[in-house]
Amino acid sequence: MGDLNKQIGDRLYSVRIKLGLSQKEFGAQLGGYSRQMIGNYETGKVPLPLALLKECFIKYQVDSDFLLGNRPYSIPQDESVSQIMNTLRHLDREKLLIAKGMLKSSFREVI
């Protein structure tokens, strides 16, 4: 369980850093958690409470699957992105490979 808490803590830390917030600011914005408690969650010393997970989702649109380690990246909770991801999940392997190639090609053009 300690490894899972540490993994979740690392992801919480990455979210906070991406937002440019100190532990104190992050805790205050998520409902009055102290700097020390945020530090304990980030280091995995204390399990992340569900209330804090819910606040991260509501306040910052953080993908809960990302925080819980079920996804290696965070997906913005934008409706169009969610629709695209839902469509991709339902494609068979052949169509998914075609879509992957199309996406790669599109991103090369943008970059």
Side-chain angles (χ1 to χ4, degrees):
M1 190 68 160
D3 289 340
L4 179 60
N5 289 339
K6 178 65 175 129
Q7 179 184 4
I8 292 170
D10 288 344
R11 288 169 181 243
L12 183 68
Y13 170 81
S14 73
V15 166
R16 180 177 64 77
I17 294 303
K18 190 173 185 178
L19 292 168
L21 299 173
S22 69
Q23 289 177 335
K24 184 177 181 179
E25 293 166 329
F26 192 53
Q29 290 184 15
L30 291 173
Y33 295 90
S34 70
R35 181 209 55 78
Q36 183 178 2
M37 282 307 299
I38 295 297
N40 287 338
Y41 301 141
E42 289 180 351
T43 59
K45 291 179 183 174
V46 178
L48 187 72
L50 288 177
L52 194 143
L53 177 68
K54 182 179 175 183
E55 282 302 310
C56 281
F57 176 74
I58 292 169
K59 189 166 210 63
Y60 303 116
Q61 292 76 48
V62 172
D63 184 0
S64 57
D65 277 337
F66 166 75
L67 274 180
L68 294 173
N70 297 328
R71 183 170 313 183
Y73 49 84
S74 181
I75 295 177
Q77 296 302 312
D78 177 273
E79 191 170 321
S80 61
V81 172
S82 294
Q83 288 173 347
I84 291 168
M85 293 304 295
N86 190 42
T87 300
L88 290 173
R89 283 188 193 103
H90 292 94
L91 293 178
D92 61 40
R93 182 165 173 74
E94 182 181 335
K95 289 180 183 171
L96 189 56
L97 289 172
I98 292 168
K100 180 181 175 183
M102 292 171 67
L103 286 168
K104 274 185 172 181
S105 176
S106 295
F107 283 114
R108 271 190 233 120
E109 292 171 13
V110 173
I111 299 172

